[in-house]
């Protein structure tokens, strides 16, 4: 069964923010190994949610 979508319904939902994995790694100060892992896992571009859920950073102790 199909249904008709109006443009108002589509515009209200919003779009996902898509990041370059390299830009994300630079912004969140990820090391090169973690950047390479994300590139292998997600490809060169991914949504912000995917990157945040899959990225891991080493703890920074004082």
């Amino acid at each position: 069964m199909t249904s008709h979508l109006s443009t108002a319904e589509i515009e209200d939902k919003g779009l996902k923010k898509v990041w370059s994995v390299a830009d994300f790694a630079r912004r969140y100060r990820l090391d090169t190994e973690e950047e390479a892992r994300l590139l292998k896992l997600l490809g060169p571009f991914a949504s912000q949610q995917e990157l945040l859920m899959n990225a891991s950073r080493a703890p920074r102790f004082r």
Side-chain angles (χ1 to χ4, degrees), residues 7 22 26 29 33-34 39 44 51-52 56 60-61:
T7 55
R26 197 174 318 115
R29 297 186 201 124
E33 293 174 3
E34 183 63 18
L39 280 168
L51 288 165
L52 289 171
S56 61
R60 296 181 66 195
F61 298 108

Side-chain angles (χ1 to χ4, degrees), residues 24-56:
F24 178 83
R26 197 174 318 115
R27 179 180 173 134
Y28 285 91
R29 297 186 201 124
L30 301 177
D31 59 0
T32 55
E33 293 174 3
E34 183 63 18
E35 182 180 353
R37 189 182 74 79
L38 288 173
L39 280 168
K40 187 185 292 185
L41 180 67
L42 302 170
F45 295 95
S47 71
Q48 184 177 18
Q49 181 68 21
E50 289 173 328
L51 288 165
L52 289 171
M53 290 291 106
N54 288 298
S56 61

